[in-house]
Amino acid sequence: MPRISHLRSSFAALLAVALLPLVGCGGGEGKVTVLMTDAPGDNLKTAVVTISEIYLQGGGDDDSNDDDDVIGKSNGDKGGRVVLLDEPVTVSLLDLANKTSELVSDAVVPNGDYSEIRFVITGGYIEVKNADGSTSIFASSNDYAELPEGAEVSGALHMPSYGSSGLKVKFTEKLSIEGEQKILLVDFDVAQSFGKEAGGSGRWVMSPVIKSAEVTASGSINVTLAKGTGVSLPVVDGHQVTLGDFRAVMINAAGSREELALADSDGNGTFEASFKFLIPGTFSLSIAGPEGVTFNTSPDAPVTVELGSGKDLTQAFTLTDAQQE
């Protein structure tokens, strides 16, 4: 029975999975660990997928001869595939926002160059928020094993070819294994990966937007918020508004939005939030306020930032005024 990964903190409660022993590795080997993280989807309440196989594809990959690729081939340069996982694991994608799940740990891989990693996805379902506050479930099949007990499936979730040829994630630069451990971070952008099919069929389609990088090349963005001199916060409906009622907002280049609560963890009056395990790129940062409050910040939001490889970036905002609407 597949297992569902529910994570509570970064690099904690990691899901360990059984690995297929590799044969014919030759004298030169390295190790690969695969971590998955996620950018959340605004209109989705749940997004679950079952990954039945993960493998690396050698640098000489040609899609036309997928069926002839040799599992466990000794040299990635020659175009073979190396299987990292062959035991099904079910991942609740929305649980991974700002966290990671360890899908593969220390898999032995022959030395060589690899052009892509592939995920064979054999099932899944999403729970979609409706305008009236209800939700609807769309599944790869009505008897998908990981559906909640008693779930009523409203329509189909189409997952074209991901259960056969797999979801292909190309590396920006070839992954070179030279007798050392590589840790890959895979970012599954939920907001960009599921959409309703055109034409009124009512079904949803999974078209994953997914990126990968070495985890050592990932980065984080810290957002801080402090009150400016003389600024006081209003009372709204009997509640004294505090900086803890504001939220940090990050939007990536693809348009996916994520919000985090701000907290003053060290008691110094400045509230912080950290977006972690991000693939380097362009991000837009801003502050969202509580209902019934209008406010301004310095600098004006949104602020566009470039997150470099392996960087830890901080964007500070100061609340310059706030009042009840």
Side-chain angles (χ1 to χ4, degrees), residues 193-207:
S193 297
F194 297 93
K196 201 164 188 180
E197 186 177 60
S201 68
R203 72 175 182 174
W204 283 65
V205 178
M206 179 179 171
S207 301

PDB file of all heavy atoms in Angstrom, residues 193-207:
ATOM      1  N   SER A 193       0.298  23.594 -12.096  1.00  0.00           N
ATOM      2  CA  SER A 193       0.351  22.217 -12.578  1.00  0.00           C
ATOM      3  C   SER A 193      -0.997  21.554 -12.785  1.00  0.00           C
ATOM      4  O   SER A 193      -1.070  20.454 -13.323  1.00  0.00           O
ATOM      5  CB  SER A 193       1.186  21.364 -11.611  1.00  0.00           C
ATOM      6  OG  SER A 193       2.521  21.830 -11.563  1.00  0.00           O
ATOM      7  N   PHE A 194      -2.086  22.176 -12.328  1.00  0.00           N
ATOM      8  CA  PHE A 194      -3.410  21.596 -12.494  1.00  0.00           C
ATOM      9  C   PHE A 194      -4.336  22.661 -13.071  1.00  0.00           C
ATOM     10  O   PHE A 194      -4.366  23.795 -12.597  1.00  0.00           O
ATOM     11  CB  PHE A 194      -3.976  21.118 -11.153  1.00  0.00           C
ATOM     12  CG  PHE A 194      -3.172  20.021 -10.513  1.00  0.00           C
ATOM     13  CD1 PHE A 194      -2.180  20.321  -9.588  1.00  0.00           C
ATOM     14  CD2 PHE A 194      -3.403  18.694 -10.837  1.00  0.00           C
ATOM     15  CE1 PHE A 194      -1.434  19.324  -8.992  1.00  0.00           C
ATOM     16  CE2 PHE A 194      -2.659  17.680 -10.243  1.00  0.00           C
ATOM     17  CZ  PHE A 194      -1.678  17.990  -9.320  1.00  0.00           C
ATOM     18  N   GLY A 195      -5.095  22.285 -14.085  1.00  0.00           N
ATOM     19  CA  GLY A 195      -6.022  23.241 -14.687  1.00  0.00           C
ATOM     20  C   GLY A 195      -7.221  22.544 -15.273  1.00  0.00           C
ATOM     21  O   GLY A 195      -7.170  21.359 -15.630  1.00  0.00           O
ATOM     22  N   LYS A 196      -8.322  23.270 -15.368  1.00  0.00           N
ATOM     23  CA  LYS A 196      -9.541  22.703 -15.924  1.00  0.00           C
ATOM     24  C   LYS A 196      -9.427  22.652 -17.438  1.00  0.00           C
ATOM     25  O   LYS A 196      -8.988  23.610 -18.081  1.00  0.00           O
ATOM     26  CB  LYS A 196     -10.749  23.539 -15.505  1.00  0.00           C
ATOM     27  CG  LYS A 196     -12.062  22.787 -15.595  1.00  0.00           C
ATOM     28  CD  LYS A 196     -13.162  23.493 -14.813  1.00  0.00           C
ATOM     29  CE  LYS A 196     -14.408  22.644 -14.737  1.00  0.00           C
ATOM     30  NZ  LYS A 196     -15.490  23.292 -13.977  1.00  0.00           N
ATOM     31  N   GLU A 197      -9.809  21.525 -18.009  1.00  0.00           N
ATOM     32  CA  GLU A 197      -9.710  21.341 -19.450  1.00  0.00           C
ATOM     33  C   GLU A 197     -10.692  22.238 -20.182  1.00  0.00           C
ATOM     34  O   GLU A 197     -11.842  22.414 -19.763  1.00  0.00           O
ATOM     35  CB  GLU A 197      -9.990  19.877 -19.795  1.00  0.00           C
ATOM     36  CG  GLU A 197      -9.767  19.541 -21.253  1.00  0.00           C
ATOM     37  CD  GLU A 197      -9.980  18.064 -21.524  1.00  0.00           C
ATOM     38  OE1 GLU A 197     -11.100  17.582 -21.283  1.00  0.00           O
ATOM     39  OE2 GLU A 197      -9.035  17.405 -21.946  1.00  0.00           O
ATOM     40  N   ALA A 198     -10.240  22.831 -21.276  1.00  0.00           N
ATOM     41  CA  ALA A 198     -11.106  23.691 -22.089  1.00  0.00           C
ATOM     42  C   ALA A 198     -12.169  22.848 -22.790  1.00  0.00           C
ATOM     43  O   ALA A 198     -11.981  21.658 -23.028  1.00  0.00           O
ATOM     44  CB  ALA A 198     -10.264  24.451 -23.109  1.00  0.00           C
ATOM     45  N   GLY A 199     -13.289  23.488 -23.127  1.00  0.00           N
ATOM     46  CA  GLY A 199     -14.301  22.811 -23.915  1.00  0.00           C
ATOM     47  C   GLY A 199     -15.484  22.285 -23.141  1.00  0.00           C
ATOM     48  O   GLY A 199     -16.364  21.641 -23.701  1.00  0.00           O
ATOM     49  N   GLY A 200     -15.514  22.544 -21.832  1.00  0.00           N
ATOM     50  CA  GLY A 200     -16.694  22.165 -21.066  1.00  0.00           C
ATOM     51  C   GLY A 200     -16.787  20.705 -20.695  1.00  0.00           C
ATOM     52  O   GLY A 200     -17.867  20.225 -20.314  1.00  0.00           O
ATOM     53  N   SER A 201     -15.682  19.944 -20.781  1.00  0.00           N
ATOM     54  CA  SER A 201     -15.737  18.520 -20.426  1.00  0.00           C
ATOM     55  C   SER A 201     -15.876  18.308 -18.927  1.00  0.00           C
ATOM     56  O   SER A 201     -16.342  17.267 -18.479  1.00  0.00           O
ATOM     57  CB  SER A 201     -14.467  17.814 -20.906  1.00  0.00           C
ATOM     58  OG  SER A 201     -13.333  18.255 -20.164  1.00  0.00           O
ATOM     59  N   GLY A 202     -15.464  19.307 -18.147  1.00  0.00           N
ATOM     60  CA  GLY A 202     -15.570  19.195 -16.699  1.00  0.00           C
ATOM     61  C   GLY A 202     -14.397  18.515 -16.040  1.00  0.00           C
ATOM     62  O   GLY A 202     -14.311  18.484 -14.822  1.00  0.00           O
ATOM     63  N   ARG A 203     -13.493  17.932 -16.807  1.00  0.00           N
ATOM     64  CA  ARG A 203     -12.370  17.256 -16.180  1.00  0.00           C
ATOM     65  C   ARG A 203     -11.185  18.197 -16.026  1.00  0.00           C
ATOM     66  O   ARG A 203     -11.076  19.216 -16.703  1.00  0.00           O
ATOM     67  CB  ARG A 203     -11.964  16.011 -16.965  1.00  0.00           C
ATOM     68  CG  ARG A 203     -11.262  16.251 -18.291  1.00  0.00           C
ATOM     69  CD  ARG A 203     -10.818  14.933 -18.898  1.00  0.00           C
ATOM     70  NE  ARG A 203     -10.106  15.135 -20.159  1.00  0.00           N
ATOM     71  CZ  ARG A 203      -9.508  14.159 -20.839  1.00  0.00           C
ATOM     72  NH1 ARG A 203      -9.561  12.923 -20.385  1.00  0.00           N
ATOM     73  NH2 ARG A 203      -8.873  14.421 -21.959  1.00  0.00           N
ATOM     74  N   TRP A 204     -10.303  17.833 -15.126  1.00  0.00           N
ATOM     75  CA  TRP A 204      -9.082  18.582 -14.889  1.00  0.00           C
ATOM     76  C   TRP A 204      -7.897  17.840 -15.493  1.00  0.00           C
ATOM     77  O   TRP A 204      -7.927  16.618 -15.653  1.00  0.00           O
ATOM     78  CB  TRP A 204      -8.854  18.789 -13.385  1.00  0.00           C
ATOM     79  CG  TRP A 204      -9.720  19.865 -12.807  1.00  0.00           C
ATOM     80  CD1 TRP A 204     -11.078  19.874 -12.706  1.00  0.00           C
ATOM     81  CD2 TRP A 204      -9.280  21.109 -12.253  1.00  0.00           C
ATOM     82  NE1 TRP A 204     -11.530  21.035 -12.128  1.00  0.00           N
ATOM     83  CE2 TRP A 204     -10.443  21.816 -11.832  1.00  0.00           C
ATOM     84  CE3 TRP A 204      -8.028  21.692 -12.055  1.00  0.00           C
ATOM     85  CZ2 TRP A 204     -10.383  23.067 -11.234  1.00  0.00           C
ATOM     86  CZ3 TRP A 204      -7.962  22.939 -11.455  1.00  0.00           C
ATOM     87  CH2 TRP A 204      -9.128  23.618 -11.063  1.00  0.00           C
ATOM     88  N   VAL A 205      -6.871  18.597 -15.824  1.00  0.00           N
ATOM     89  CA  VAL A 205      -5.681  18.018 -16.444  1.00  0.00           C
ATOM     90  C   VAL A 205      -4.463  18.366 -15.607  1.00  0.00           C
ATOM     91  O   VAL A 205      -4.304  19.505 -15.163  1.00  0.00           O
ATOM     92  CB  VAL A 205      -5.491  18.535 -17.890  1.00  0.00           C
ATOM     93  CG1 VAL A 205      -4.225  17.955 -18.508  1.00  0.00           C
ATOM     94  CG2 VAL A 205      -6.702  18.187 -18.742  1.00  0.00           C
ATOM     95  N   MET A 206      -3.620  17.380 -15.388  1.00  0.00           N
ATOM     96  CA  MET A 206      -2.356  17.599 -14.697  1.00  0.00           C
ATOM     97  C   MET A 206      -1.280  17.846 -15.745  1.00  0.00           C
ATOM     98  O   MET A 206      -0.974  16.988 -16.569  1.00  0.00           O
ATOM     99  CB  MET A 206      -1.998  16.370 -13.860  1.00  0.00           C
ATOM    100  CG  MET A 206      -0.677  16.491 -13.130  1.00  0.00           C
ATOM    101  SD  MET A 206      -0.352  14.989 -12.153  1.00  0.00           S
ATOM    102  CE  MET A 206       1.340  15.307 -11.648  1.00  0.00           C
ATOM    103  N   SER A 207      -0.750  19.066 -15.759  1.00  0.00           N
ATOM    104  CA  SER A 207       0.347  19.446 -16.663  1.00  0.00           C
ATOM    105  C   SER A 207       1.449  20.049 -15.803  1.00  0.00           C
ATOM    106  O   SER A 207       1.555  21.276 -15.696  1.00  0.00           O
ATOM    107  CB  SER A 207      -0.135  20.448 -17.714  1.00  0.00           C
ATOM    108  OG  SER A 207      -1.189  19.901 -18.483  1.00  0.00           O
TER     109      SER A 207
END
